Amino acid sequence: MKINVEKCAQILREKDNILILTHAHPDGDTLGCGFALCRALLKLGKKAGVICADDIPGKYDYLYSNMDVFEFEEEYVVAVDVATENLLGSLSDRYGGRIDMCIDHHGTNTEYADKLLLNADAAAACEIILKVIKALGVQIDRDIANCLYTGITTDTGCFRYASATSNTYRAAAELIDLGADNGTINRVMFETKTKTYAALERLAIEGMEFFCDDRVCVITITQDMYARTGSNEQETEAIAPLTRQTEGVEIGLTIREKEDGSCKCSVRTFDSVDAARLASSFGGGGHKQAAACRFDCDVRQAKELLVAKCKELLQ
Amino acid sequence: MKINVEKCAQILREKDNILILTHAHPDGDTLGCGFALCRALLKLGKKAGVICADDIPGKYDYLYSNMDVFEFEEEYVVAVDVATENLLGSLSDRYGGRIDMCIDHHGTNTEYADKLLLNADAAAACEIILKVIKALGVQIDRDIANCLYTGITTDTGCFRYASATSNTYRAAAELIDLGADNGTINRVMFETKTKTYAALERLAIEGMEFFCDDRVCVITITQDMYARTGSNEQETEAIAPLTRQTEGVEIGLTIREKEDGSCKCSVRTFDSVDAARLASSFGGGGHKQAAACRFDCDVRQAKELLVAKCKELLQ
């Protein structure tokens, strides 16, 4: 059942022992949502916690570093920024089919939760969580503001993408006034490359391939490249935007080899191509200009399948 | 004499045949200011124009593409986003000592103009021009909104730098509501690399040098690198931010060789070092985290001088 912000806040006020699920391969938006909502619920005197199937990259430490942690038996389960249950990764085994509420901004949300608060116009799910926390009547402190700002800035590529609306900018302004440290957060998220990532990025750029009259750019990240640079998959978030930066490119594909030899592809496009549509041809999903899908085959085969599909879409 | 926004608007309302000067090696902020103000003055039925000592890079075409151009004898000269007269480049020969008004956001402004509207807290001079245009009573149309948004986004590295305040974000939100095409502008300014620039950037990254226990990163761009890649100085705006992206770097220096063998250095820092102070040791200036200076010597000597100064500052 779809609900609005007020209903969502009303339900949360009535519940306790709330477990918040974030998506696997976590990003700033799902984590920002999770920890902001958790902090707000704790301020209401409730027990709440956040879990994720995968390790949380170190750069997100500040989202939860000074947050109280409680032991509790979950009574209410909320997924944030999770479009489909399988995006929960290994958590879907335990929580699949029993998620009470989902708060999300993906138009492709499969409505798997009992209650769904969805706003596909929000550039980041954190924009929706900001409204929920205000509706809960919780005073937003600096920590909550930092969580929410983190989600908004990371999901918009630091306000760069067309998805960022005037509401997105206003939400950011409000959070800065409430204490969000925008300069430091953007520095950590966008201006800081570890030495291992810098090395990986250099290899990635060297190996860039172009197809369909240079309208498609492909970067392939292999396990061997991690081994050579000391980098790892957690560090590859910033690679995908590189694929669509060269003049004339309409589709950017980043194919990442997993440890088992299968792979995952991040799709980035501009207005002319619907990234979610391309990804959905391979069972994936996402937004109009940013989407993803998985492949059971190896990177070479995945690349062939993807490039063939791109040819079709660009015709 | 320092003036406020209302006084500035009052004076401009009384004048006609207004010539607007932008700084040499023009960026999005000086051009956005110039063309936004010019468009507003034209809407008031005045004659106005914008000039720059250097060619305007093609990516800024939309700022003035559909703007009316008049022949007129200038009666009032306004400099925008120009901290010192020598930043006017070759225009300083003609206009030095006779600039009637300056609208600027550089704390280092030398007060060379007869009237100065200065707000050093503004992340971009376009934030101030927005206020001036509102005080002029001009309805901001899509073209003016695009000019002002361009200045704000380019001077904040797309809202990335700590200089962007909640007021900056609110100004952007207002401009988007007035029709600014944020998605396209950011794509052109930040997501689009020409093939020649992409090649130059690769050479620049390959040649990165680190000093002072990796706290200083130096990129040197030589005339030879332009020749090898087909790139040119106009395309180097995006290089400077690369210097401070590697973990641990506190000072990023980009030394660009000029055709005559002399050179210019862009300084980028974080909180720990004042970029304007470093640049001012060599006769330059700018902001706390972004500044610039010129050298009569060659790039090798400039690098030695700069690194020696960095050692001193970091001690």
Side-chain angles (χ1 to χ4, degrees):
Chain A
M1 188 178 85
K2 288 203 182 171
I3 55 172
N4 62 19
V5 168
E6 290 66 35
K7 182 71 185 170
C8 171
Q10 186 200 318
I11 294 169
L12 291 172
R13 262 195 304 267
E14 287 165 4
K15 302 295 178 185
D16 200 353
N17 298 311
I18 298 165
L19 184 66
I20 303 167
L21 312 183
T22 58
H23 64 68
H25 193 62
D27 61 16
D29 197 25
T30 198
L31 296 171
C33 284
F35 292 112
L37 183 59
C38 185
R39 286 172 183 277
L41 294 169
L42 295 175
K43 284 185 97 169
L44 289 172
K46 297 178 188 297
K47 284 185 178 161
V50 180
I51 57 173
C52 182
D54 296 323
D55 288 343
I56 297 176
K59 66 178 175 180
Y60 296 115
D61 279 357
Y62 66 95
L63 297 178
Y64 58 94
S65 55
N66 64 345
M67 196 181 82
D68 290 331
V69 177
F70 296 98
E71 295 266 317
F72 63 91
E73 196 73 40
E74 75 257 13
E75 289 174 10
Y76 199 73
V77 179
V78 181
V80 287
D81 191 40
V82 181
T84 66
E85 283 190 329
N86 68 326
L87 292 173
L88 291 168
S90 60
L91 294 180
S92 65
D93 298 344
R94 175 153 182 197
Y95 297 100
R98 48 165 294 222
I99 295 168
D100 298 299
M101 181 187 282
C102 172
I103 304 174
D104 191 23
H105 72 128
H106 295 87
T108 53
N109 189 290
T110 55
E111 305 194 26
Y112 57 86
D114 187 47
K115 306 271 189 298
L116 171 63
L117 172 57
L118 178 73
N119 177 3
D121 293 329
C126 275
E127 278 183 64
I128 313 170
I129 300 286
L130 169 60
K131 289 182 183 168
V132 170
I133 293 175
K134 290 202 281 188
L136 281 169
V138 172
Q139 175 62 38
I140 293 175
D141 58 25
R142 179 180 300 256
D143 291 321
I144 294 176
N146 279 332
C147 290
L148 295 175
Y149 183 89
T150 298
I152 292 175
T153 192
T154 54
D155 245 31
T156 58
C158 202
F159 302 89
R160 186 175 295 193
Y161 306 147
S163 59
T165 67
S166 58
N167 289 332
T168 313
Y169 283 82
R170 277 200 196 88
E174 187 177 346
L175 294 167
I176 292 167
D177 283 337
L178 290 164
D181 186 357
N182 55 306
T184 303
I185 291 170
N186 289 330
R187 176 182 173 179
V188 171
M189 295 299 151
F190 299 104
E191 294 269 318
T192 310
K193 296 176 184 176
T194 61
K195 290 182 184 179
T196 50
Y197 171 73
L200 180 72
E201 190 186 83
R202 215 167 304 162
L203 286 183
I205 291 173
E206 278 173 27
M208 256 183 189
E209 293 174 286
F210 293 88
F211 300 94
C212 304
D213 295 322
D214 297 349
R215 294 164 75 190
V216 176
C217 171
V218 180
I219 284 179
T220 307
I221 305 286
T222 61
Q223 291 290 321
D224 174 62
M225 287 162 76
Y226 295 139
R228 283 162 65 197
T229 58
S231 186
N232 59 58
E233 197 188 333
Q234 283 188 4
E235 292 194 326
T236 60
E237 220 173 58
I239 295 280
L242 303 177
T243 56
R244 65 167 189 191
Q245 287 184 345
T246 304
E247 223 178 359
V249 169
E250 292 171 65
I251 306 176
L253 304 172
T254 307
I255 306 172
R256 288 185 294 224
E257 184 179 35
K258 314 284 279 186
E259 275 182 57
D260 65 4
S262 72
C263 56
K264 190 180 163 179
C265 177
S266 296
V267 182
R268 294 290 181 276
T269 62
F270 291 116
D271 282 341
S272 58
V273 180
D274 185 338
R277 191 178 147 208
L278 172 53
S280 72
S281 322
F282 302 103
H287 303 282
K288 275 191 182 169
Q289 302 199 349
C293 50
R294 287 169 190 281
F295 293 86
D296 286 330
C297 55
D298 66 21
V299 291
R300 194 187 51 75
Q301 289 173 300
K303 186 163 68 186
E304 278 176 19
L305 291 167
L306 282 158
V307 171
K309 193 74 195 169
C310 289
K311 266 189 190 140
E312 200 184 304
L313 285 175
L314 290 174
Q315 254 161 18
Chain B
M1 188 179 86
K2 289 204 181 170
I3 55 171
N4 63 18
V5 168
E6 289 67 35
K7 182 71 184 168
C8 170
Q10 186 200 318
I11 294 169
L12 291 173
R13 262 195 304 265
E14 288 164 6
K15 302 294 178 186
D16 201 352
N17 298 312
I18 298 166
L19 184 66
I20 302 167
L21 312 183
T22 58
H23 64 67
H25 193 62
D27 60 17
D29 196 24
T30 198
L31 295 172
C33 283
F35 292 111
L37 183 58
C38 185
R39 286 172 181 277
L41 295 169
L42 295 176
K43 285 185 95 170
L44 289 173
K46 297 178 188 298
K47 284 185 178 160
V50 179
I51 57 172
C52 182
D54 296 325
D55 288 341
I56 297 176
K59 66 179 176 179
Y60 296 115
D61 279 356
Y62 66 95
L63 297 178
Y64 59 94
S65 54
N66 64 345
M67 197 180 81
D68 289 330
V69 177
F70 296 98
E71 295 266 318
F72 64 92
E73 197 73 39
E74 76 256 14
E75 289 174 9
Y76 199 74
V77 179
V78 181
V80 288
D81 191 41
V82 181
T84 67
E85 284 190 328
N86 69 326
L87 291 173
L88 290 168
S90 60
L91 293 180
S92 65
D93 297 343
R94 174 153 183 195
Y95 296 101
R98 48 165 293 222
I99 295 168
D100 299 299
M101 181 187 281
C102 173
I103 304 174
D104 191 22
H105 72 128
H106 296 88
T108 54
N109 189 290
T110 55
E111 305 195 26
Y112 57 85
D114 187 47
K115 306 271 188 299
L116 171 62
L117 172 58
L118 179 73
N119 177 3
D121 293 330
C126 275
E127 278 182 63
I128 312 170
I129 300 286
L130 169 60
K131 288 181 185 169
V132 170
I133 294 176
K134 290 201 281 188
L136 281 170
V138 172
Q139 175 62 38
I140 294 175
D141 59 25
R142 179 181 300 258
D143 291 321
I144 294 176
N146 278 333
C147 290
L148 295 175
Y149 183 89
T150 298
I152 292 176
T153 192
T154 54
D155 245 33
T156 58
C158 201
F159 303 88
R160 187 175 294 194
Y161 306 146
S163 59
T165 66
S166 59
N167 290 332
T168 313
Y169 282 83
R170 276 198 198 91
E174 187 177 346
L175 294 166
I176 292 167
D177 283 337
L178 290 164
D181 186 357
N182 56 305
T184 303
I185 292 170
N186 290 329
R187 176 183 172 178
V188 171
M189 296 298 150
F190 300 104
E191 294 269 320
T192 310
K193 296 176 185 175
T194 61
K195 289 181 184 179
T196 51
Y197 171 74
L200 181 72
E201 189 185 85
R202 215 167 303 162
L203 286 183
I205 291 174
E206 278 174 28
M208 257 182 187
E209 294 173 286
F210 293 88
F211 300 93
C212 304
D213 296 323
D214 297 348
R215 293 164 76 190
V216 177
C217 171
V218 180
I219 283 179
T220 308
I221 305 286
T222 61
Q223 291 290 321
D224 174 62
M225 287 162 76
Y226 295 139
R228 283 162 66 195
T229 58
S231 186
N232 59 58
E233 197 189 333
Q234 283 188 3
E235 293 194 328
T236 60
E237 220 174 57
I239 296 279
L242 302 177
T243 56
R244 64 168 190 191
Q245 287 184 345
T246 304
E247 223 178 1
V249 169
E250 291 172 67
I251 306 176
L253 303 172
T254 306
I255 306 173
R256 287 185 294 222
E257 185 180 32
K258 314 283 279 185
E259 276 182 54
D260 64 4
S262 71
C263 56
K264 190 180 164 178
C265 178
S266 297
V267 182
R268 295 289 181 276
T269 62
F270 291 115
D271 282 339
S272 59
V273 180
D274 186 337
R277 191 178 146 208
L278 173 53
S280 71
S281 322
F282 301 102
H287 303 282
K288 276 191 180 169
Q289 303 198 349
C293 49
R294 286 170 189 281
F295 293 86
D296 287 330
C297 55
D298 67 20
V299 291
R300 194 188 51 75
Q301 288 172 300
K303 186 163 69 186
E304 276 176 22
L305 291 167
L306 282 158
V307 171
K309 193 73 194 170
C310 289
K311 265 190 191 139
E312 201 184 305
L313 285 174
L314 290 174
Q315 250 162 21

